[in-house]
Amino acid sequence: MRTPTSTYRLQITAEFDLVEAARRLPYLRDLGVDWVYLSPLLEAESGSSHGYDVRVHDRIDPSRGGEQGLAALSAEARRLGMGVLVDIVPNHVGIAAPDPGTWWWDLLTHGRDSAYADAFDVDWEVAHDRVVVPVVGDDDLGDDGRIEHLRVVDTGDGLEQRYHDHRFPIAPGTVAAGEQAEQLDANAVHDRQHYRLSSWRVADQGLNYRRFFAVNTLAAIRVEDRRVFDDSHVEIRRWFDEELVDGLRVDHPDGLRDPEGYLADLAELTGDAYVLVEKILEPGEELPTSWPTTGTTGYDALAHLDRALTDPAGQEKLDRLEARLRGRVVEWPQLIHDTKRAVADGILNSEVRRITREVLATGVTIGGPGPVADAVAELLACFGVYRSYLPAGREHLDEAVALARTHRPDLADTLDLLHPLLADPDQPAALRFQQTSGMVMAKGVEDCAFYRHSRLTSLNEVGGDPSIFAITPDEFHDRMAARQRDWPHAMTTLSTHDTKRGEDVRARITVLSELPDEWAATLDELLWKDPVDPGFASLMWQAVVGCWPAERERLHGYVEKAMREAGEQTTWTAPDASYEAQVHRAVDAAYDDERVRALVEGLAARLAGPGWSNALAAKLVALTMPGVPDVYQGSELWEQSLVDPDNRRPVDFDLRAGLLAGELAPRITDRIDDPGHAKLLVTRAALTLRRDRPELFTGYRAVHASGPAADHLLGFDRGGAITLATRLPVGLGERGGWGDTSVDLPDGTWRDVLTGRTAAGTARLADLLADLPVALLAPREES
């Protein structure tokens, strides 16, 4: 198996297609990148900027460059000695705009007789052999069930139904031969079809097909069926047959019925190629070693690194601040229980009801559908990880049952009867419960609770637990040693298309753990004129100072998403216009109100210098720690994006290539507008060393400092390459710098590849880190 030493993620779009990506590969090679890592390529919904809404599986999206584009990129990668990693989406297909030739169109046309009926996860019986399609607006559904604006049209190739801009097929034999479109009663025609157009509000409780999370326009497919696997991987197979691609990243494996079985099929298809899984691990959870994969995409590593750079001394004061703002002590376990329960009772209640029907189908008598659904929802709310993989992970179900009994003792009898059934891997209800628990976790925690918890928002990141405030360097070293031992080729990352905040936004916010009093004082002044509820305002202002200076429209886009995801004062489906206007006025105040702007600029300037220090420390550690480091597009300079779609903005590669071709000074400033040249220098040096001298990165050993500032060093030896990074830079400055703090280097002379400075024996950190807060030492090569 060919394994990369590093990757660089590119978002392939119509504006930045495969041909343009191929043109940028020489720059990536000069940066030190080993493999290029591409977002999904299969044909997606029209206008999709991300590609995760794949429509068809037998071709690359023409708007993204098509077959010729991948061939060109692959050829250029081969010329440069680079590999190609591609993101794939096995869990679902996009159905927002089906048309003839797509699986979903065929399903709607022929129902259970469709050639693709087994490809989708449809509960036919509950809707009398029809697919429920939740698209009808409130004003278009009459009391008699008739749908306004539903019509039949003649396309020239036959008759179709149209509802506004939605199009739907008409099944053969349901309209008499020779009838003209304008003569037909569209609602009568609709009643004879294999689908039922329903109110959009039905999706929460009455949907009968499995989705990706709660997205009605992404229908799940059953890749556990080998025919479905083969049909949905026909183009991916071609990539490997023609040696165009070297590895894959698997999106959302927890949505699959049998992730391990899927990965085994994928290994067979790819010839045991390098494959990563986007698996979110909760603290203490381990990736199943039986899976044929080289590891995760790195959110677990991100969580460890961020917390190693967080000052534990700030926790108590920030806890008190959060309690004061919220009017109560915030208990993270209770918060996420409640948000997950709301999801199970709300947007994912269709899945709860389907599990309930499968439970009742076993003949077990446990009080009827009401108590069963209640108990299933409570178990989902109490499940501590994304999912189990029965029989593996049975302990997570046991823990959830025990916790559910404490929350809901009135359900004890029902839980006792459910427990063995949901622990049985031969029971359909147990398998569906596993697929559903991850959805509830993602929607309840990442997409809700993360926006209701504002103690220190750099910790509110995918794969992280915000209740874990910090870890010590020794704890970090223990985790890295285990990573080197167990998953040496798993990915490491700092930013992705899914992170809630870019890596350097988090690096700046992390400084607040060292300055809790200054933060609280500034926030109080901001709240003096801010009518927004204080808890959300804290989250909002952390985002503002974290990415400042930022374009006004970016922050407006961020707060709209954040407050609706939080769902406390306003939601996506029921927006509170008055409240939202208050929040947007608060954003405008950062630009238009002199006093507010001065507060924002003052705090951002205070955080800038130590924030840049944290950013360089995080970058160097992420690039040199055990695993395969990924650089998210553009993050070789400061990465101050917020949540998507902000983090998918175009990247100025001409700027970066120009800087890389020039002289990069090994220093940063305390200015808010530092150009980030030092980060580009660090990125190039680390990636190049990993690619050109991989023998220096084959082990892991902690490097400890001696002296008064020893606890400000995060250092390790990878087997010849030594990383030294500053942590808690504010505290370091307050104690007067490194002083006589030193590290003992292994025998020989060592050269910092960032600055060219050499050292040997006992080396003073004040000398090694005189220009930058980080150093990357390698054995000096004799000329």
Side-chain angles (χ1 to χ4, degrees):
M1 177 179 66
R2 186 181 177 191
T3 302
T5 62
S6 67
T7 62
Y8 188 102
R9 169 79 175 210
L10 291 175
Q11 296 295 116
I12 303 301
T13 65
E15 296 73 29
F16 188 89
D17 63 11
L18 288 162
V19 175
E20 179 63 14
R23 194 170 75 84
R24 298 300 181 177
L25 292 187
Y27 161 71
L28 299 188
R29 177 67 184 176
D30 291 344
L31 187 62
V33 173
D34 192 21
W35 286 21
V36 62
Y37 167 25
L38 307 175
S39 62
L41 301 180
L42 297 181
E43 184 173 321
E45 298 283 12
S46 177
S48 172
S49 64
H50 49 76
Y52 289 95
D53 45 1
V54 171
R55 296 177 69 249
V56 297
H57 297 94
D58 60 353
R59 58 183 175 268
I60 296 174
D61 199 325
S63 72
R64 287 173 164 78
E67 180 178 335
Q68 295 77 17
L70 180 59
L73 181 139
S74 182
E76 179 67 351
R78 301 294 182 250
R79 184 185 73 82
L80 296 168
M82 300 175 70
V84 179
L85 178 72
V86 180
D87 198 345
I88 62 170
V89 188
N91 180 71
H92 54 266
V93 295
I95 59 170
D99 53 29
T102 61
W103 294 7
W104 189 252
W105 185 272
D106 195 86
L107 181 77
L108 297 184
T109 303
H110 301 289
R112 298 186 83 156
D113 293 328
S114 166
Y116 301 103
D118 290 341
F120 295 98
D121 193 355
V122 180
D123 186 350
W124 293 101
E125 285 76 13
V126 73
H128 307 290
D129 284 354
R130 300 176 78 185
V131 179
V132 177
V133 182
V135 295
V136 181
D138 292 340
D139 296 334
D140 289 342
L141 191 61
D143 293 337
D144 58 357
R146 291 181 62 83
I147 301 171
E148 297 295 326
H149 300 108
L150 183 66
R151 65 194 192 280
V152 178
V153 300
D154 190 339
T155 67
D157 295 320
L159 300 180
E160 292 180 5
Q161 288 208 300
R162 298 287 171 89
Y163 172 68
H164 294 292
D165 57 349
H166 298 282
R167 57 188 296 208
F168 301 97
I170 291 178
T174 57
V175 173
E179 286 195 83
Q180 302 298 308
E182 60 272 12
Q183 299 173 329
L184 295 169
D185 179 339
N187 277 274
V189 171
H190 166 261
D191 290 343
R192 297 193 290 270
Q193 302 310 308
H194 296 290
Y195 53 87
R196 186 179 79 224
L197 304 186
S198 304
S199 166
W200 66 273
R201 297 182 186 276
V202 165
D204 287 0
Q205 296 184 330
L207 207 64
N208 68 330
Y209 63 89
R210 186 166 57 86
R211 303 162 288 174
F212 170 73
F213 296 163
V215 184
N216 299 335
T217 55
L218 295 176
I221 59 174
R222 298 178 57 254
V223 290
E224 65 271 17
D225 182 316
R226 185 58 197 236
R227 184 179 71 86
V228 177
F229 174 90
D230 290 337
D231 289 348
S232 61
H233 287 67
V234 60
E235 174 65 8
I236 296 169
R237 182 182 295 277
R238 183 184 74 83
W239 300 346
F240 285 90
D241 289 346
E242 298 181 13
E243 299 182 346
L244 298 169
V245 167
D246 302 287
L248 299 172
R249 178 259 198 194
V250 177
D251 182 66
H252 189 47
D254 277 350
L256 307 179
R257 176 146 293 206
D258 178 14
E260 183 174 345
Y262 170 79
L263 291 171
D265 290 341
L266 197 64
E268 178 186 336
L269 181 149
T270 65
D272 293 313
Y274 181 78
V275 170
L276 298 165
V277 289
E278 186 213 19
K279 166 63 186 168
I280 309 301
L281 297 170
E282 292 299 302
E285 184 185 9
E286 299 292 338
L287 187 66
T289 56
S290 59
W291 286 14
T293 177
T294 43
T296 72
T297 52
Y299 290 116
D300 44 338
L302 181 158
H304 299 327
L305 177 49
D306 279 355
R307 283 156 180 78
L309 300 178
T310 300
D311 188 356
Q315 178 173 354
E316 184 178 347
K317 289 182 177 181
L318 292 177
D319 280 343
R320 289 202 301 267
L321 175 61
E322 178 81 344
R324 174 163 65 85
L325 297 173
R326 302 278 177 181
R328 66 189 187 282
V329 174
V330 178
E331 298 289 350
W332 178 251
Q334 185 65 48
L335 172 61
I336 63 172
H337 168 273
D338 294 349
T339 55
K340 289 163 67 179
R341 180 68 206 233
V343 166
D345 290 338
I347 58 175
L348 288 177
N349 192 248
S350 289
E351 295 300 323
V352 171
R353 290 174 177 234
R354 191 165 179 187
I355 296 168
T356 300
R357 292 193 293 272
E358 291 180 335
V359 168
L360 296 176
T362 66
V364 174
T365 303
I366 42 181
V372 174
D374 196 1
V376 167
E378 188 62 29
L379 285 172
L380 290 167
C382 292
F383 213 77
V385 298
Y386 271 67
R387 62 167 287 176
S388 58
Y389 310 94
L390 293 171
R394 163 69 188 263
E395 68 276 11
H396 301 304
L397 177 64
D398 296 344
E399 292 165 2
V401 170
L403 183 58
R405 289 173 65 94
T406 66
H407 279 281
R408 294 291 304 277
D410 58 307
L411 291 174
D413 292 343
T414 305
L415 290 167
D416 287 344
L417 288 168
L418 271 179
H419 191 177
L421 192 149
L422 294 181
D424 184 350
D426 293 326
Q427 286 289 345
L431 298 177
R432 189 169 303 283
F433 183 90
Q434 291 185 127
Q435 291 177 282
T436 305
S437 59
M439 301 185 205
V440 173
M441 176 75 86
K443 297 307 297 180
V445 179
E446 294 174 22
D447 293 344
C448 184
F450 275 6
Y451 295 94
R452 296 187 184 184
H453 190 269
S454 52
R455 175 179 64 178
L456 186 68
T457 59
S458 54
L459 304 178
N460 298 12
E461 197 47 82
V462 179
D465 181 340
S467 70
I468 300 175
F469 191 83
I471 62 174
T472 66
D474 284 343
E475 291 173 315
F476 177 81
H477 294 314
D478 289 344
R479 288 163 171 78
M480 292 306 103
R483 187 178 184 87
Q484 174 65 27
R485 181 190 66 234
D486 300 332
W487 300 101
H489 303 302
M491 183 174 278
T492 65
T493 190
L494 285 178
S495 298
T496 76
H497 63 285
D498 274 338
T499 42
K500 304 299 183 185
R501 295 160 188 82
E503 59 201 57
D504 301 327
V505 177
R506 298 199 311 276
R508 190 183 290 179
I509 292 172
T510 296
V511 180
L512 298 179
S513 69
E514 295 196 78
L515 299 170
D517 292 331
E518 290 186 40
W519 162 236
T522 302
L523 183 60
D524 283 344
E525 292 194 60
L526 288 167
L527 292 175
W528 177 79
K529 194 173 182 178
D530 184 352
V532 180
D533 66 275
F536 182 80
S538 175
L539 180 139
M540 178 187 77
W541 289 117
Q542 287 179 60
V544 171
V545 298
C547 70
W548 194 265
E551 296 85 352
R552 187 189 302 242
E553 60 271 17
R554 287 180 56 208
L555 290 177
H556 279 300
Y558 172 76
V559 297
E560 179 183 82
K561 181 168 185 173
M563 60 182 157
R564 291 181 179 180
E565 296 280 55
E568 293 182 291
Q569 307 288 343
T570 186
T571 67
W572 290 107
T573 55
D576 183 324
S578 175
Y579 174 78
E580 292 192 0
Q582 290 179 347
V583 176
H584 287 296
R585 282 195 293 272
V587 170
D588 284 331
Y591 299 89
D592 303 331
D593 185 300
E594 289 185 8
R595 178 179 170 277
V596 173
R597 185 183 181 98
L599 288 168
V600 169
E601 290 184 340
L603 181 58
R606 176 72 175 97
L607 302 178
W612 300 145
S613 177
N614 281 344
L616 289 189
K619 197 64 172 179
L620 182 61
V621 172
L623 293 175
T624 57
M625 67 197 286
V628 174
D630 177 57
V631 177
Y632 185 69
Q633 60 174 27
S635 66
E636 61 270 36
L637 291 180
W638 301 132
E639 164 47 29
Q640 292 180 277
S641 296
L642 297 169
V643 71
D644 68 280
D646 192 59
N647 56 19
R648 295 197 297 267
R649 289 172 295 143
V651 174
D652 188 340
F653 284 106
D654 289 333
L655 168 67
R656 286 159 174 77
L659 291 173
L660 195 68
E663 190 73 24
L664 295 173
R667 63 182 63 90
I668 55 172
T669 70
D670 288 335
R671 302 198 324 265
I672 195 76
D673 61 346
D674 181 275
H677 296 177
K679 192 180 183 191
L680 185 60
L681 170 69
V682 167
T683 304
R684 178 179 64 182
L687 291 179
T688 301
L689 190 66
R690 290 205 69 153
R691 183 189 63 198
D692 295 350
R693 300 194 65 187
E695 73 279 4
L696 302 180
F697 295 88
T698 57
Y700 189 88
R701 180 182 65 84
V703 171
H704 296 288
S706 300
D711 58 342
H712 290 276
L713 179 72
L714 186 63
F716 50 84
D717 183 345
R718 289 298 319 282
I722 298 175
T723 291
L724 303 174
T726 300
R727 60 186 296 271
L728 315 185
V730 173
L732 180 65
E734 290 174 347
R735 71 191 316 159
W738 292 106
D740 293 330
T741 307
S742 63
V743 292
D744 291 328
L745 300 176
D747 293 343
T749 301
W750 296 79
R751 177 179 177 271
D752 181 4
V753 300
L754 305 177
T755 65
R757 183 177 282 107
T758 59
T762 299
R764 297 178 70 248
L765 288 174
D767 297 329
L768 283 173
L769 304 180
D771 298 319
L772 292 172
V774 293
L776 177 56
L777 308 180
R780 188 175 68 176
E781 296 177 298
E782 299 299 332
S783 57

